[in-house]
Amino acid sequence: RPRVLSGIQPTADSFHFGNYLGALRQWVHLQEDHQPFFFIADMHAITVEQDPKVLRERCLRAAAQLLAMGVDPERSAIFVQSQIPAHAQLGWVLQCLTGFGEARRMTQFKDKSAKGGEGAASVGLFTYPILQAADILLYRPHYVPVGEDQRQHLELTRDLAQRFNHRYKKTFRLPEPYILKSTAKITDLQDPTAKMSKSASSPGGIIEMLDDPRVSAKKIRSAVTDSGSEVRFDPEEKPGISNLLTIHAALTGESVTALEEQYAGRGYGDFKKDLADIVVDVVTPFRDRTLELLDDQAYLTSVLTRGHEQANAVAEATLRDVFARVGFVAPA
Ligand code: TYM
């Protein structure tokens, strides 16, 4: 069975629709016929300041949400990044293979450091994509299901894998990004040319999976739509309604073309009202299940402990190969 690996940062109280449609749904589907490793990227979260108590809470909330979404601990190793020392250890080796200029070209650092200025950003934020490469390569996955915003990090990961394999000995598999074109970039409901994002979106622009469903319904109904009134998919001219069509199609499994026909001559209002109802139907059971799971911390911890054991064994074995090939002396 081909392996898949992916991660998500515990940097908000709730996952949002971009996470869900862009990546997490694919995690659930891929479980069927792959061997999955899914983790909570708490080490990536501390590249920007975090409150320790909140971080710990969000980590467990993330685990509960993954389970509520259908990530199945019987089939997937679900684990917390910081529990596996090999991530940081391989991260170091890969840092030593990465050019400064190469790291500098990563656009996420440019975006994220733009606000406070480069001088205020942490070195961890700068080397973030290299740690991500280590996360991935340790497990030798075939596919990495992510949204479009991670594509550049996947390219760096492949470059570093190739460089290591070439310089030392073939050690890493070159992973393929698994990015679904239709949902690769879910946009902000209030600013539909920008990505829906936990750090950048305004409250009205983002649908949080754990929000009160009535609030989410309202956000859909008041999403920015475009001039005109025709429900038609055209991301250039009509980014607002196109984003909503993408969300509708993804949630119902209908094609965008079928939806265009269904809403021909009916206007935005009807369409948004129907979509709001669909969103409520999706988030309500999800939220109930997550809250239920959060009441059972012993179960959550047991899932993460099992995931840790499974993942650590694989990661340690890869790291041993890497250290030997680099020329590190192993303990007797
Ligand atoms: P993160 O935590 O920002 O997001 C988790 C996943 O959600 C996807 N995503 C989106 N997809 C479509 N439209 C959007 N608006 C949207 N917003 C977020 C992201 O692409 C991602 O797949 N660096 C990663 C975490 C990470 C990781 C890894 C991922 C660390 N190590 C190794 C894969 C493999 C991140 O910050 O994702």
Side-chain angles (χ1 to χ4, degrees), residues 5-11 15-24 26-27 37 39-42 44 81 87 108 112 128-129 131-137 144-151 153-154 157 178-180 183-188 194-198 201 243:
L5 170 131
S6 198
I8 184 159
Q9 292 195 72
T11 41
F15 296 160
H16 60 72
F17 257 48
N19 302 136
Y20 175 55
L21 297 176
L24 300 173
Q26 284 66 264
W27 296 17
F37 293 85
F39 70 95
I40 300 160
D42 56 346
H44 279 102
Q81 182 187 29
H87 289 244
Q108 198 172 68
K112 289 202 174 172
Y128 176 117
L131 178 60
Q132 181 163 352
D135 299 337
I136 297 170
L137 296 176
V144 182
V146 286
E148 182 61 37
D149 59 348
Q150 300 300 314
R151 189 185 291 280
H153 294 164
L154 262 294
T157 302
Y178 183 95
I179 301 175
L180 281 196
T183 52
K185 183 181 169 191
I186 301 297
T187 62
D188 184 308
K195 166 179 94 163
M196 184 181 286
S197 145
K198 48 197 157 197
S201 291
N243 189 42

Side-chain angles (χ1 to χ4, degrees), residues 78-79 83 298-310:
I78 307 169
F79 62 98
Q83 294 180 2
Y299 173 68
L300 289 179
T301 313
S302 76
V303 166
L304 294 175
T305 302
R306 185 142 63 104
H308 164 256
E309 282 163 12
Q310 292 166 327

Side-chain angles (χ1 to χ4, degrees), residues 137 141-142 157-159 161-162 165 170 172-176:
L137 296 176
H142 296 77
T157 302
R158 289 169 59 90
D159 287 347
Q162 213 154 12
N165 288 349
K170 187 164 185 320
F172 297 123
R173 172 174 285 126
L174 265 53
E176 298 283 344

Side-chain angles (χ1 to χ4, degrees), residues 6 54 64 76 89 106 171 178 184 210 220 222 272 295 310:
S6 198
V54 175
S76 299
Q89 292 171 296
M106 296 292 120
T171 305
Y178 183 95
L210 293 178
I220 294 279
S222 41
K272 290 205 271 189
D295 272 340
Q310 292 166 327

Side-chain angles (χ1 to χ4, degrees), residues 31 205 224:
Q31 290 180 124
V224 164

Side-chain angles (χ1 to χ4, degrees), residues 16-52:
H16 60 72
F17 257 48
N19 302 136
Y20 175 55
L21 297 176
L24 300 173
R25 264 172 28 129
Q26 284 66 264
W27 296 17
V28 175
H29 293 148
L30 287 165
Q31 290 180 124
E32 303 297 328
D33 42 12
H34 292 75
Q35 187 192 349
F37 293 85
F38 297 132
F39 70 95
I40 300 160
D42 56 346
M43 289 164 71
H44 279 102
I46 65 162
T47 54
V48 296
E49 203 175 324
Q50 299 293 330
D51 175 327

